[in-house]
Amino acid sequence: MRKWIAFPHKEGTISRQAHADLPEEAPYEREAGRSGFFGPTAHFHHKNPPTAWEKWEGPLRPRAYDLNELDKNSNSPWGAENLLYNAHCKFRIWNCNEAMLNLARNGDGDELLFIHKGQGDLFCDYGHMEIREGDYVVIPRGTMWRIEPQEPMTMLLIEATNDSYQLPEKGLVGPQAIFDPAMLDVPSINDKFKAQQDETPWSVEIKRRGQLSRVKYNYSPLDAIGWHGDLSVVRINWRDIRPLMSHRYHLPPSAHTTFVASRFVVCTFVPRPIESDPGALKVPFYHNNDDFDEVLFYHAGDFFSRDNIDAGMVTFHPSGFTHGPHPKAFEAGRKYAKKETDEVAVMLDTRDALEVGDAMAGVENPDYCNSWKASE
C-alpha cells in the first residue's frame, strides 16, 4: 500500500483559495502537482511570470507544429505516420478523400477517431453510421471498419496501444455530467449497411505490433444481420459536451476529461463562459507538468490562452518545465476582456514520455518557445 505524504502547510504571503484572490504584489500563481491534476499540490505566488525565460537550450522545450503542412493523404489509416508516440499511445493525423479500398482492423488496441474536417459513412462490424466534423468515434480493438467520405475528411487517430478507452469517473457530479452516456450513438443494422452485403471481394488490413497482414474474402465480411451486448463502436460530438464550470474558480483541465485509458487521458475544451467573480483567475494557471506530457490539438475557434495558433496546429509540452498562458492572454484575463471562450481543442495527456515522429521536423515552429517573452 502507498499513501502520499500529506501535511497542508502555509508559508509567507498566500491566497486563502487557490486560483482566486491572488496577492497584488505577487499575482503570478504556479501550481506544482503530482499525477497530473489528481494528486497533491503546492501553490507558489511569484512576483514575475514563471514563464518569463530569456533563452532555451537543449531538447526539452515547448513545441508547436502546423499539421496543415503535412502530407496526410492515404487510402488506409495505417498509412498515417506516428507523429507523437510511446509504448501506450499513438497520435496520428489522416486525410481520407476517397472510399477505403480495404477494411481496417487494429489488433494493437482501441482506436479513437476525432473528425477534424468533412463527413462520411462508417461501416463496421456493428453496422453503419454517419460521421461528421466534431465527432469522436471509439472503435474497439479488433473491429473491422471502413469509411466512405461524402467529402474529404481529416481525422485525428489516437490509439490506446494494448489498452481500451473508458469513461472517466464523475464522482460528486454524477454519471450524467459532461455528457449523459445515453448521448452515445451506436451503428445501425440499416438498409445502407445491408446493401453492401454482396459478393464483392474485400481484403482486411490487420495491424498487429506495427506490422500489417491482409486477409482476403470473396464477399463483404461485414455481413452481420444483428448483434447484442454492451461492446460497440460509439460516437459523441463535441457539441454534445456540457462542460463543468464555476463562475468563481478556474477548473483544472482534468475537469474536461472525455475518455480515459490506463496511461493517458483525452480531454475536450469546448466553448464556455469565463469566470465572472472579480477575484477568480480567468485563464489557465501556470503549472508544472511533472508527471505528464501534454499535447493540444486545436480544432476550431480563438484559442484564448495562446497567440498565433490556428486550427489544425498542435502544441506539445513535454514533462519537466512550467508553462501557462501567454503574456497577452494573462493580461486580458486580468482585465476580464473576454466574457466567454469559443475554442474547441482536443488534449492528450500521457503518463509516459512521447517520442516525436520524423515527419514533425518539417512542420515545427522553432520560435514557439520564445512566445512567452513579455516583449511578445
Side-chain angles (χ1 to χ4, degrees):
M1 299 290 291
R2 301 194 307 164
K3 182 180 178 181
W4 288 106
I5 299 170
F7 52 96
H9 179 75
K10 301 176 182 179
E11 187 70 37
T13 301
I14 62 170
S15 62
R16 295 185 65 198
Q17 168 66 50
H19 316 325
D21 301 316
L22 305 179
E24 281 295 325
E25 64 271 34
Y28 303 102
E29 178 195 57
R30 173 172 63 95
E31 177 176 297
R34 301 305 307 272
S35 297
F37 300 96
F38 296 95
T41 59
H43 293 89
F44 302 86
H45 300 282
H46 296 279
K47 294 185 290 184
N48 297 295
T51 54
W53 47 70
E54 270 303 307
K55 186 178 180 180
W56 267 92
E57 295 180 349
L60 175 66
R61 67 175 185 269
R63 298 170 180 267
Y65 304 96
D66 189 351
L67 302 190
N68 297 295
E69 297 180 5
L70 285 175
D71 180 7
K72 306 179 285 288
N73 296 324
S74 174
N75 192 257
S76 167
W78 312 140
E81 294 186 55
N82 290 330
L83 303 180
L84 297 164
Y85 60 95
N86 58 34
H88 308 282
C89 181
K90 307 291 184 291
F91 179 93
R92 297 169 290 145
I93 193 164
W94 174 43
N95 280 356
C96 182
N97 298 331
E98 299 178 345
M100 291 170 58
L101 300 177
N102 301 294
L103 294 163
R105 186 174 193 171
N106 194 339
D108 286 326
D110 283 11
E111 196 81 65
L112 177 65
L113 276 57
F114 177 76
I115 314 303
H116 177 49
K117 294 180 182 179
Q119 60 184 352
D121 295 286
L122 172 72
F123 297 89
C124 65
D125 284 313
Y126 300 91
H128 161 263
M129 65 164 41
E130 293 188 355
I131 55 177
R132 67 181 181 105
E133 173 271 322
D135 280 343
Y136 283 108
V137 182
V138 178
I139 302 178
R141 184 177 186 169
T143 300
M144 292 187 293
W145 60 277
R146 63 183 178 87
I147 290 176
E148 292 185 5
Q150 298 170 11
E151 60 185 64
M153 300 178 69
T154 300
M155 291 165 273
L156 277 187
L157 306 175
I158 305 177
E159 177 188 287
T161 308
N162 202 30
D163 203 350
S164 57
Y165 283 106
Q166 300 179 15
L167 298 180
E169 175 58 55
K170 299 176 185 177
L172 294 175
V173 297
Q176 283 73 42
I178 307 177
F179 66 82
D180 191 323
M183 292 290 294
L184 291 166
D185 298 314
V186 300
S188 299
I189 305 290
N190 55 21
D191 290 342
K192 204 164 190 176
F193 184 68
K194 293 177 181 177
Q196 57 86 52
Q197 296 179 343
D198 55 26
E199 303 304 312
T200 302
W202 281 94
S203 292
V204 183
E205 292 183 333
I206 304 173
K207 184 174 78 72
R208 174 62 177 160
R209 301 183 68 183
Q211 298 176 321
L212 287 185
S213 298
R214 182 170 292 168
V215 182
K216 296 183 179 181
Y217 294 83
N218 290 325
Y219 58 91
S220 170
L222 301 181
D223 61 354
I225 60 171
W227 63 272
H228 55 101
D230 54 8
L231 175 68
S232 177
V233 169
V234 294
R235 175 190 65 194
I236 189 82
N237 194 280
W238 70 257
R239 295 170 180 85
D240 298 321
I241 293 175
R242 301 172 186 268
L244 296 179
M245 30 187 192
S246 168
H247 70 289
R248 302 199 66 200
Y249 178 78
H250 187 88
L251 298 177
S254 51
H256 307 292
T257 302
T258 310
F259 299 105
V260 179
S262 299
R263 303 293 297 177
F264 67 89
V265 299
V266 175
C267 306
T268 312
F269 300 122
V270 300
R272 61 169 182 81
I274 288 176
E275 296 78 12
S276 58
D277 185 274
L281 190 66
K282 297 173 176 62
V283 289
F285 44 87
Y286 297 101
H287 61 282
N288 297 9
N289 52 331
D290 292 325
D291 287 322
F292 282 74
D293 278 8
E294 300 181 10
V295 179
L296 261 177
F297 175 79
Y298 301 89
H299 171 59
D302 179 23
F303 308 107
F304 80 115
S305 66
R306 292 283 175 269
D307 296 329
N308 303 315
I309 295 293
D310 297 318
M313 297 182 69
V314 160
T315 55
F316 173 37
H317 298 162
S319 173
F321 68 94
T322 300
H323 67 272
H326 280 146
K328 290 180 183 178
F330 185 85
E331 289 304 317
R334 296 187 72 179
K335 296 174 182 177
Y336 195 24
K338 294 185 67 173
K339 302 301 186 287
E340 60 186 20
T341 73
D342 67 350
E343 71 179 11
V344 181
V346 177
M347 185 175 81
L348 169 68
D349 271 17
T350 67
R351 285 184 175 270
D352 305 280
L354 289 163
E355 301 292 334
V356 179
D358 294 340
M360 297 289 257
V363 297
E364 182 177 2
N365 175 6
D367 200 44
Y368 176 66
C369 63
N370 298 319
S371 58
W372 279 268
K373 289 185 177 180
S375 60
E376 300 292 315

